[in-house]
mmCIF file of all heavy atoms in Angstrom:
data_model
loop_
_atom_site.group_PDB
_atom_site.id
_atom_site.type_symbol
_atom_site.label_atom_id
_atom_site.label_comp_id
_atom_site.label_asym_id
_atom_site.label_seq_id
_atom_site.Cartn_x
_atom_site.Cartn_y
_atom_site.Cartn_z
ATOM 1 N N ALA I 123 -88.443 108.645 51.661
ATOM 2 C CA ALA I 123 -89.329 107.766 50.914
ATOM 3 C C ALA I 123 -90.213 108.616 50.022
ATOM 4 O O ALA I 123 -90.443 109.803 50.309
ATOM 5 C CB ALA I 123 -90.173 106.951 51.896
ATOM 6 N N PRO I 124 -90.738 108.049 48.957
ATOM 7 C CA PRO I 124 -91.594 108.828 48.050
ATOM 8 C C PRO I 124 -92.766 109.469 48.793
ATOM 9 O O PRO I 124 -93.461 108.811 49.583
ATOM 10 C CB PRO I 124 -92.090 107.776 47.050
ATOM 11 C CG PRO I 124 -91.016 106.751 47.045
ATOM 12 C CD PRO I 124 -90.520 106.688 48.451
ATOM 13 N N GLY I 125 -92.937 110.764 48.550
ATOM 14 C CA GLY I 125 -94.047 111.486 49.167
ATOM 15 C C GLY I 125 -93.853 111.865 50.615
ATOM 16 O O GLY I 125 -94.757 112.407 51.241
ATOM 17 N N LYS I 126 -92.656 111.583 51.153
ATOM 18 C CA LYS I 126 -92.388 111.914 52.551
ATOM 19 C C LYS I 126 -91.230 112.876 52.658
ATOM 20 O O LYS I 126 -90.419 113.026 51.750
ATOM 21 C CB LYS I 126 -92.102 110.628 53.339
ATOM 22 C CG LYS I 126 -93.292 109.680 53.441
ATOM 23 C CD LYS I 126 -93.005 108.551 54.398
ATOM 24 C CE LYS I 126 -94.206 107.643 54.563
ATOM 25 N NZ LYS I 126 -93.934 106.531 55.517
ATOM 26 N N GLU I 127 -91.121 113.534 53.808
ATOM 27 C CA GLU I 127 -90.037 114.443 54.060
ATOM 28 C C GLU I 127 -88.742 113.671 54.346
ATOM 29 O O GLU I 127 -88.781 112.525 54.779
ATOM 30 C CB GLU I 127 -90.365 115.351 55.255
ATOM 31 C CG GLU I 127 -91.503 116.324 54.987
ATOM 32 C CD GLU I 127 -91.693 117.294 56.136
ATOM 33 O OE1 GLU I 127 -91.047 117.115 57.189
ATOM 34 O OE2 GLU I 127 -92.497 118.210 55.988
ATOM 35 N N ARG I 128 -87.624 114.362 54.111
ATOM 36 C CA ARG I 128 -86.341 113.760 54.427
ATOM 37 C C ARG I 128 -86.220 113.608 55.941
ATOM 38 O O ARG I 128 -86.484 114.535 56.679
ATOM 39 C CB ARG I 128 -85.213 114.600 53.857
ATOM 40 C CG ARG I 128 -83.870 113.906 53.855
ATOM 41 C CD ARG I 128 -82.890 114.606 52.932
ATOM 42 N NE ARG I 128 -83.285 114.476 51.523
ATOM 43 C CZ ARG I 128 -82.497 114.773 50.492
ATOM 44 N NH1 ARG I 128 -81.261 115.188 50.712
ATOM 45 N NH2 ARG I 128 -82.942 114.652 49.261
ATOM 46 N N GLU I 129 -85.803 112.446 56.375
ATOM 47 C CA GLU I 129 -85.779 112.099 57.791
ATOM 48 C C GLU I 129 -84.355 111.796 58.238
ATOM 49 O O GLU I 129 -83.616 111.064 57.560
ATOM 50 C CB GLU I 129 -86.652 110.855 58.011
ATOM 51 C CG GLU I 129 -86.603 110.245 59.387
ATOM 52 C CD GLU I 129 -87.269 108.869 59.461
ATOM 53 O OE1 GLU I 129 -87.507 108.270 58.402
ATOM 54 O OE2 GLU I 129 -87.532 108.392 60.588
ATOM 55 N N GLY I 130 -83.950 112.348 59.383
ATOM 56 C CA GLY I 130 -82.660 112.050 59.922
ATOM 57 C C GLY I 130 -82.626 110.645 60.506
ATOM 58 O O GLY I 130 -83.507 110.294 61.278
ATOM 59 N N VAL I 131 -81.619 109.873 60.130
ATOM 60 C CA VAL I 131 -81.501 108.492 60.566
ATOM 61 C C VAL I 131 -80.470 108.343 61.677
ATOM 62 O O VAL I 131 -80.745 107.741 62.720
ATOM 63 C CB VAL I 131 -81.150 107.582 59.377
ATOM 64 C CG1 VAL I 131 -80.879 106.157 59.842
ATOM 65 C CG2 VAL I 131 -82.262 107.622 58.337
ATOM 66 N N SER I 132 -79.272 108.854 61.420
ATOM 67 C CA SER I 132 -78.197 108.692 62.376
ATOM 68 C C SER I 132 -77.115 109.707 62.110
ATOM 69 O O SER I 132 -76.973 110.198 60.987
ATOM 70 C CB SER I 132 -77.615 107.273 62.280
ATOM 71 O OG SER I 132 -76.654 107.055 63.283
ATOM 72 N N CYS I 133 -76.353 110.016 63.155
ATOM 73 C CA CYS I 133 -75.257 110.991 63.046
ATOM 74 C C CYS I 133 -74.085 110.461 63.857
ATOM 75 O O CYS I 133 -74.267 109.815 64.892
ATOM 76 C CB CYS I 133 -75.717 112.326 63.588
ATOM 77 S SG CYS I 133 -74.445 113.610 63.590
ATOM 78 N N ILE I 134 -72.877 110.757 63.379
ATOM 79 C CA ILE I 134 -71.676 110.421 64.120
ATOM 80 C C ILE I 134 -70.778 111.645 64.141
ATOM 81 O O ILE I 134 -70.592 112.323 63.129
ATOM 82 C CB ILE I 134 -70.957 109.189 63.515
ATOM 83 C CG1 ILE I 134 -69.824 108.728 64.422
ATOM 84 C CG2 ILE I 134 -70.494 109.445 62.094
ATOM 85 C CD1 ILE I 134 -69.324 107.317 64.086
ATOM 86 N N SER I 135 -70.205 111.951 65.290
ATOM 87 C CA SER I 135 -69.369 113.130 65.455
ATOM 88 C C SER I 135 -68.064 112.986 64.683
ATOM 89 O O SER I 135 -67.710 111.903 64.215
ATOM 90 C CB SER I 135 -69.092 113.370 66.937
ATOM 91 O OG SER I 135 -68.327 112.285 67.467
ATOM 92 N N GLY I 136 -67.355 114.113 64.578
ATOM 93 C CA GLY I 136 -66.128 114.115 63.774
ATOM 94 C C GLY I 136 -65.131 113.042 64.160
ATOM 95 O O GLY I 136 -64.534 112.385 63.320
ATOM 96 N N GLY I 137 -64.945 112.885 65.463
ATOM 97 C CA GLY I 137 -63.997 111.874 65.936
ATOM 98 C C GLY I 137 -64.582 110.498 66.091
ATOM 99 O O GLY I 137 -63.849 109.539 66.355
ATOM 100 N N GLY I 138 -65.883 110.381 65.971
ATOM 101 C CA GLY I 138 -66.565 109.108 66.074
ATOM 102 C C GLY I 138 -67.010 108.731 67.471
ATOM 103 O O GLY I 138 -67.620 107.683 67.675
ATOM 104 N N GLY I 139 -66.759 109.612 68.466
ATOM 105 C CA GLY I 139 -67.099 109.265 69.824
ATOM 106 C C GLY I 139 -68.532 109.514 70.225
ATOM 107 O O GLY I 139 -68.984 109.025 71.251
ATOM 108 N N GLY I 140 -69.250 110.270 69.429
ATOM 109 C CA GLY I 140 -70.631 110.592 69.735
ATOM 110 C C GLY I 140 -71.552 110.188 68.599
ATOM 111 O O GLY I 140 -71.220 110.380 67.414
ATOM 112 N N THR I 141 -72.687 109.598 68.940
ATOM 113 C CA THR I 141 -73.646 109.186 67.926
ATOM 114 C C THR I 141 -75.061 109.560 68.347
ATOM 115 O O THR I 141 -75.359 109.716 69.534
ATOM 116 C CB THR I 141 -73.595 107.666 67.678
ATOM 117 O OG1 THR I 141 -73.853 106.965 68.901
ATOM 118 C CG2 THR I 141 -72.247 107.233 67.129
ATOM 119 N N GLU I 142 -75.915 109.710 67.358
ATOM 120 C CA GLU I 142 -77.330 109.940 67.585
ATOM 121 C C GLU I 142 -78.119 109.084 66.597
ATOM 122 O O GLU I 142 -77.633 108.803 65.490
ATOM 123 C CB GLU I 142 -77.694 111.411 67.369
ATOM 124 C CG GLU I 142 -77.113 112.379 68.382
ATOM 125 C CD GLU I 142 -77.820 112.305 69.724
ATOM 126 O OE1 GLU I 142 -78.924 111.722 69.799
ATOM 127 O OE2 GLU I 142 -77.267 112.847 70.711
ATOM 128 N N TYR I 143 -79.317 108.687 67.001
ATOM 129 C CA TYR I 143 -80.170 107.876 66.142
ATOM 130 C C TYR I 143 -81.594 108.405 66.175
ATOM 131 O O TYR I 143 -82.070 108.879 67.209
ATOM 132 C CB TYR I 143 -80.167 106.407 66.602
ATOM 133 C CG TYR I 143 -78.817 105.741 66.461
ATOM 134 C CD1 TYR I 143 -77.919 105.717 67.509
ATOM 135 C CD2 TYR I 143 -78.450 105.124 65.261
ATOM 136 C CE1 TYR I 143 -76.686 105.116 67.385
ATOM 137 C CE2 TYR I 143 -77.213 104.521 65.125
ATOM 138 C CZ TYR I 143 -76.342 104.535 66.184
ATOM 139 O OH TYR I 143 -75.104 103.933 66.067
ATOM 140 N N GLY I 144 -82.277 108.264 65.029
ATOM 141 C CA GLY I 144 -83.687 108.541 64.998
ATOM 142 C C GLY I 144 -84.459 107.494 65.786
ATOM 143 O O GLY I 144 -84.005 106.333 65.885
ATOM 144 N N ASN I 145 -85.602 107.839 66.286
ATOM 145 C CA ASN I 145 -86.374 106.914 67.115
ATOM 146 C C ASN I 145 -86.759 105.642 66.361
ATOM 147 O O ASN I 145 -86.822 104.563 66.958
ATOM 148 C CB ASN I 145 -87.643 107.602 67.626
ATOM 149 C CG ASN I 145 -87.328 108.672 68.646
ATOM 150 O OD1 ASN I 145 -86.321 108.620 69.327
ATOM 151 N ND2 ASN I 145 -88.218 109.650 68.738
ATOM 152 N N SER I 146 -86.996 105.770 65.068
ATOM 153 C CA SER I 146 -87.469 104.622 64.317
ATOM 154 C C SER I 146 -86.376 103.584 64.016
ATOM 155 O O SER I 146 -86.686 102.458 63.628
ATOM 156 C CB SER I 146 -88.084 105.088 62.987
ATOM 157 O OG SER I 146 -87.123 105.765 62.205
ATOM 158 N N VAL I 147 -85.113 103.948 64.212
ATOM 159 C CA VAL I 147 -84.028 103.007 63.892
ATOM 160 C C VAL I 147 -83.171 102.645 65.093
ATOM 161 O O VAL I 147 -82.327 101.753 64.990
ATOM 162 C CB VAL I 147 -83.121 103.570 62.777
ATOM 163 C CG1 VAL I 147 -83.954 103.971 61.560
ATOM 164 C CG2 VAL I 147 -82.286 104.738 63.271
ATOM 165 N N ARG I 148 -83.370 103.309 66.196
ATOM 166 C CA ARG I 148 -82.533 103.087 67.384
ATOM 167 C C ARG I 148 -82.642 101.621 67.807
ATOM 168 O O ARG I 148 -83.728 101.066 67.891
ATOM 169 C CB ARG I 148 -82.937 104.006 68.511
ATOM 170 C CG ARG I 148 -81.984 103.958 69.717
ATOM 171 C CD ARG I 148 -82.366 105.002 70.760
ATOM 172 N NE ARG I 148 -82.125 106.361 70.267
ATOM 173 C CZ ARG I 148 -83.091 107.225 70.008
ATOM 174 N NH1 ARG I 148 -84.350 106.867 70.199
ATOM 175 N NH2 ARG I 148 -82.801 108.438 69.593
ATOM 176 N N GLY I 149 -81.501 101.009 68.034
ATOM 177 C CA GLY I 149 -81.476 99.597 68.421
ATOM 178 C C GLY I 149 -81.328 98.646 67.252
ATOM 179 O O GLY I 149 -81.028 97.460 67.451
ATOM 180 N N ARG I 150 -81.551 99.135 66.057
ATOM 181 C CA ARG I 150 -81.444 98.289 64.846
ATOM 182 C C ARG I 150 -80.291 98.732 63.951
ATOM 183 O O ARG I 150 -79.671 97.919 63.276
ATOM 184 C CB ARG I 150 -82.742 98.326 64.033
ATOM 185 C CG ARG I 150 -83.969 97.803 64.797
ATOM 186 C CD ARG I 150 -85.175 97.695 63.883
ATOM 187 N NE ARG I 150 -85.582 98.984 63.375
ATOM 188 C CZ ARG I 150 -85.682 99.275 62.071
ATOM 189 N NH1 ARG I 150 -85.388 98.376 61.154
ATOM 190 N NH2 ARG I 150 -86.084 100.489 61.658
ATOM 191 N N PHE I 151 -80.002 100.026 63.924
ATOM 192 C CA PHE I 151 -78.957 100.585 63.071
ATOM 193 C C PHE I 151 -77.760 100.987 63.927
ATOM 194 O O PHE I 151 -77.945 101.438 65.065
ATOM 195 C CB PHE I 151 -79.452 101.793 62.297
ATOM 196 C CG PHE I 151 -80.473 101.522 61.241
ATOM 197 C CD1 PHE I 151 -81.101 100.278 61.121
ATOM 198 C CD2 PHE I 151 -80.848 102.535 60.356
ATOM 199 C CE1 PHE I 151 -82.045 100.036 60.144
ATOM 200 C CE2 PHE I 151 -81.790 102.304 59.374
ATOM 201 C CZ PHE I 151 -82.397 101.067 59.265
ATOM 202 N N THR I 152 -76.569 100.879 63.344
ATOM 203 C CA THR I 152 -75.347 101.300 64.025
ATOM 204 C C THR I 152 -74.491 102.092 63.043
ATOM 205 O O THR I 152 -74.208 101.623 61.938
ATOM 206 C CB THR I 152 -74.547 100.102 64.533
ATOM 207 O OG1 THR I 152 -75.352 99.313 65.419
ATOM 208 C CG2 THR I 152 -73.311 100.575 65.289
ATOM 209 N N ILE I 153 -74.089 103.282 63.451
ATOM 210 C CA ILE I 153 -73.242 104.120 62.635
ATOM 211 C C ILE I 153 -71.809 104.055 63.142
ATOM 212 O O ILE I 153 -71.568 103.929 64.353
ATOM 213 C CB ILE I 153 -73.757 105.586 62.625
ATOM 214 C CG1 ILE I 153 -73.067 106.388 61.524
ATOM 215 C CG2 ILE I 153 -73.611 106.229 63.980
ATOM 216 C CD1 ILE I 153 -73.717 107.754 61.292
ATOM 217 N N SER I 154 -70.860 104.094 62.222
ATOM 218 C CA SER I 154 -69.450 104.088 62.592
ATOM 219 C C SER I 154 -68.676 104.833 61.513
ATOM 220 O O SER I 154 -69.210 105.134 60.444
ATOM 221 C CB SER I 154 -68.931 102.645 62.744
ATOM 222 O OG SER I 154 -69.051 101.931 61.508
ATOM 223 N N ARG I 155 -67.423 105.126 61.801
ATOM 224 C CA ARG I 155 -66.615 105.816 60.800
ATOM 225 C C ARG I 155 -65.171 105.390 60.894
ATOM 226 O O ARG I 155 -64.679 105.064 61.983
ATOM 227 C CB ARG I 155 -66.758 107.341 60.899
ATOM 228 C CG ARG I 155 -66.169 107.992 62.121
ATOM 229 C CD ARG I 155 -66.595 109.468 62.211
ATOM 230 N NE ARG I 155 -66.079 110.255 61.096
ATOM 231 C CZ ARG I 155 -66.522 111.481 60.766
ATOM 232 N NH1 ARG I 155 -67.504 112.030 61.467
ATOM 233 N NH2 ARG I 155 -65.996 112.130 59.756
ATOM 234 N N ASP I 156 -64.494 105.427 59.764
ATOM 235 C CA ASP I 156 -63.062 105.173 59.666
ATOM 236 C C ASP I 156 -62.461 106.393 58.963
ATOM 237 O O ASP I 156 -62.499 106.495 57.726
ATOM 238 C CB ASP I 156 -62.813 103.899 58.866
ATOM 239 C CG ASP I 156 -61.338 103.502 58.824
ATOM 240 O OD1 ASP I 156 -60.477 104.390 59.069
ATOM 241 O OD2 ASP I 156 -61.036 102.334 58.537
ATOM 242 N N ASN I 157 -61.949 107.314 59.742
ATOM 243 C CA ASN I 157 -61.439 108.553 59.159
ATOM 244 C C ASN I 157 -60.228 108.330 58.277
ATOM 245 O O ASN I 157 -59.984 109.115 57.348
ATOM 246 C CB ASN I 157 -61.141 109.561 60.254
ATOM 247 C CG ASN I 157 -62.403 110.183 60.834
ATOM 248 O OD1 ASN I 157 -63.445 110.202 60.190
ATOM 249 N ND2 ASN I 157 -62.325 110.646 62.086
ATOM 250 N N ALA I 158 -59.458 107.305 58.546
ATOM 251 C CA ALA I 158 -58.307 106.999 57.696
ATOM 252 C C ALA I 158 -58.740 106.626 56.285
ATOM 253 O O ALA I 158 -58.003 106.831 55.336
ATOM 254 C CB ALA I 158 -57.482 105.879 58.301
ATOM 255 N N LYS I 159 -59.962 106.098 56.172
ATOM 256 C CA LYS I 159 -60.516 105.727 54.869
ATOM 257 C C LYS I 159 -61.540 106.740 54.374
ATOM 258 O O LYS I 159 -62.177 106.512 53.329
ATOM 259 C CB LYS I 159 -61.159 104.341 54.944
ATOM 260 C CG LYS I 159 -60.190 103.220 55.242
ATOM 261 C CD LYS I 159 -60.891 101.874 55.255
ATOM 262 C CE LYS I 159 -59.908 100.749 55.510
ATOM 263 N NZ LYS I 159 -60.582 99.416 55.538
ATOM 264 N N ASN I 160 -61.726 107.816 55.126
ATOM 265 C CA ASN I 160 -62.709 108.847 54.759
ATOM 266 C C ASN I 160 -64.090 108.237 54.524
ATOM 267 O O ASN I 160 -64.820 108.644 53.615
ATOM 268 C CB ASN I 160 -62.274 109.605 53.494
ATOM 269 C CG ASN I 160 -60.997 110.371 53.685
ATOM 270 O OD1 ASN I 160 -60.763 110.930 54.762
ATOM 271 N ND2 ASN I 160 -60.166 110.412 52.658
ATOM 272 N N THR I 161 -64.456 107.286 55.350
ATOM 273 C CA THR I 161 -65.695 106.543 55.131
ATOM 274 C C THR I 161 -66.515 106.425 56.407
ATOM 275 O O THR I 161 -65.953 106.215 57.495
ATOM 276 C CB THR I 161 -65.393 105.136 54.596
ATOM 277 O OG1 THR I 161 -64.698 105.261 53.352
ATOM 278 C CG2 THR I 161 -66.685 104.359 54.327
ATOM 279 N N VAL I 162 -67.818 106.612 56.256
ATOM 280 C CA VAL I 162 -68.779 106.405 57.319
ATOM 281 C C VAL I 162 -69.692 105.248 56.925
ATOM 282 O O VAL I 162 -70.099 105.159 55.757
ATOM 283 C CB VAL I 162 -69.606 107.687 57.568
ATOM 284 C CG1 VAL I 162 -70.746 107.432 58.549
ATOM 285 C CG2 VAL I 162 -68.697 108.806 58.078
ATOM 286 N N TYR I 163 -69.991 104.394 57.873
ATOM 287 C CA TYR I 163 -70.808 103.212 57.623
ATOM 288 C C TYR I 163 -72.134 103.290 58.372
ATOM 289 O O TYR I 163 -72.215 103.896 59.444
ATOM 290 C CB TYR I 163 -70.068 101.950 58.051
ATOM 291 C CG TYR I 163 -68.705 101.808 57.424
ATOM 292 C CD1 TYR I 163 -67.557 102.182 58.116
ATOM 293 C CD2 TYR I 163 -68.558 101.271 56.148
ATOM 294 C CE1 TYR I 163 -66.295 102.046 57.543
ATOM 295 C CE2 TYR I 163 -67.308 101.121 55.570
ATOM 296 C CZ TYR I 163 -66.180 101.528 56.273
ATOM 297 O OH TYR I 163 -64.941 101.382 55.710
ATOM 298 N N LEU I 164 -73.134 102.655 57.816
ATOM 299 C CA LEU I 164 -74.411 102.490 58.508
ATOM 300 C C LEU I 164 -74.788 101.017 58.400
ATOM 301 O O LEU I 164 -75.177 100.552 57.334
ATOM 302 C CB LEU I 164 -75.498 103.371 57.893
ATOM 303 C CG LEU I 164 -76.828 103.345 58.670
ATOM 304 C CD1 LEU I 164 -76.684 104.006 60.032
ATOM 305 C CD2 LEU I 164 -77.938 104.034 57.861
ATOM 306 N N GLN I 165 -74.648 100.309 59.515
ATOM 307 C CA GLN I 165 -75.060 98.912 59.583
ATOM 308 C C GLN I 165 -76.522 98.856 59.940
ATOM 309 O O GLN I 165 -76.932 99.376 60.992
ATOM 310 C CB GLN I 165 -74.224 98.169 60.619
ATOM 311 C CG GLN I 165 -74.626 96.711 60.801
ATOM 312 C CD GLN I 165 -74.326 95.866 59.566
ATOM 313 O OE1 GLN I 165 -73.265 95.994 58.954
ATOM 314 N NE2 GLN I 165 -75.256 94.990 59.210
ATOM 315 N N MET I 166 -77.314 98.258 59.075
ATOM 316 C CA MET I 166 -78.762 98.209 59.265
ATOM 317 C C MET I 166 -79.194 96.753 59.445
ATOM 318 O O MET I 166 -79.035 95.951 58.526
ATOM 319 C CB MET I 166 -79.476 98.824 58.068
ATOM 320 C CG MET I 166 -79.004 100.230 57.733
ATOM 321 S SD MET I 166 -79.944 101.021 56.427
ATOM 322 C CE MET I 166 -79.586 99.949 55.054
ATOM 323 N N ASN I 167 -79.724 96.450 60.620
ATOM 324 C CA ASN I 167 -80.164 95.100 60.931
ATOM 325 C C ASN I 167 -81.670 95.072 61.150
ATOM 326 O O ASN I 167 -82.295 96.106 61.410
ATOM 327 C CB ASN I 167 -79.447 94.586 62.193
ATOM 328 C CG ASN I 167 -77.948 94.474 62.014
ATOM 329 O OD1 ASN I 167 -77.444 94.205 60.912
ATOM 330 N ND2 ASN I 167 -77.229 94.667 63.103
ATOM 331 N N ASN I 168 -82.230 93.888 61.079
ATOM 332 C CA ASN I 168 -83.681 93.707 61.288
ATOM 333 C C ASN I 168 -84.488 94.708 60.479
ATOM 334 O O ASN I 168 -85.357 95.404 61.005
ATOM 335 C CB ASN I 168 -84.008 93.832 62.782
ATOM 336 C CG ASN I 168 -85.430 93.426 63.096
ATOM 337 O OD1 ASN I 168 -86.062 92.671 62.357
ATOM 338 N ND2 ASN I 168 -85.943 93.925 64.214
ATOM 339 N N LEU I 169 -84.184 94.774 59.202
ATOM 340 C CA LEU I 169 -84.832 95.769 58.343
ATOM 341 C C LEU I 169 -86.310 95.489 58.187
ATOM 342 O O LEU I 169 -86.737 94.315 58.165
ATOM 343 C CB LEU I 169 -84.139 95.796 56.980
ATOM 344 C CG LEU I 169 -82.817 96.553 56.981
ATOM 345 C CD1 LEU I 169 -81.958 96.167 55.772
ATOM 346 C CD2 LEU I 169 -83.055 98.049 56.995
ATOM 347 N N LYS I 170 -87.082 96.552 58.071
ATOM 348 C CA LYS I 170 -88.521 96.499 57.967
ATOM 349 C C LYS I 170 -88.948 97.154 56.653
ATOM 350 O O LYS I 170 -88.232 98.014 56.133
ATOM 351 C CB LYS I 170 -89.172 97.222 59.140
ATOM 352 C CG LYS I 170 -88.738 96.708 60.508
ATOM 353 C CD LYS I 170 -89.346 97.542 61.614
ATOM 354 C CE LYS I 170 -88.899 97.051 62.974
ATOM 355 N NZ LYS I 170 -89.489 97.842 64.092
#
């Protein structure tokens, strides 16, 4: 955000089996990946 440091939101491991979330988004955001499509998704719900 403007005037703020870059913040880690979420991470997904290479195979997709492991994920991590920042405290501010845990429970609201979901990360996933489709390696066949070379794409990673971030589903963001209940946005603030």
Side-chain angles (χ1 to χ4, degrees):
K126 294 188 176 181
E127 292 186 353
R128 193 163 293 193
E129 173 191 14
V131 174
S132 185
C133 178
I134 188 164
S135 65
T141 58
E142 293 285 346
Y143 295 93
N145 290 334
S146 60
V147 306
R148 188 175 292 112
R150 299 187 297 122
F151 291 10
T152 303
I153 193 169
S154 61
R155 69 190 295 165
D156 184 340
N157 285 337
K159 296 182 178 179
N160 296 323
T161 300
V162 172
Y163 305 97
L164 185 68
Q165 178 67 43
M166 306 186 296
N167 297 329
N168 190 22
L169 283 161
K170 304 176 181 181

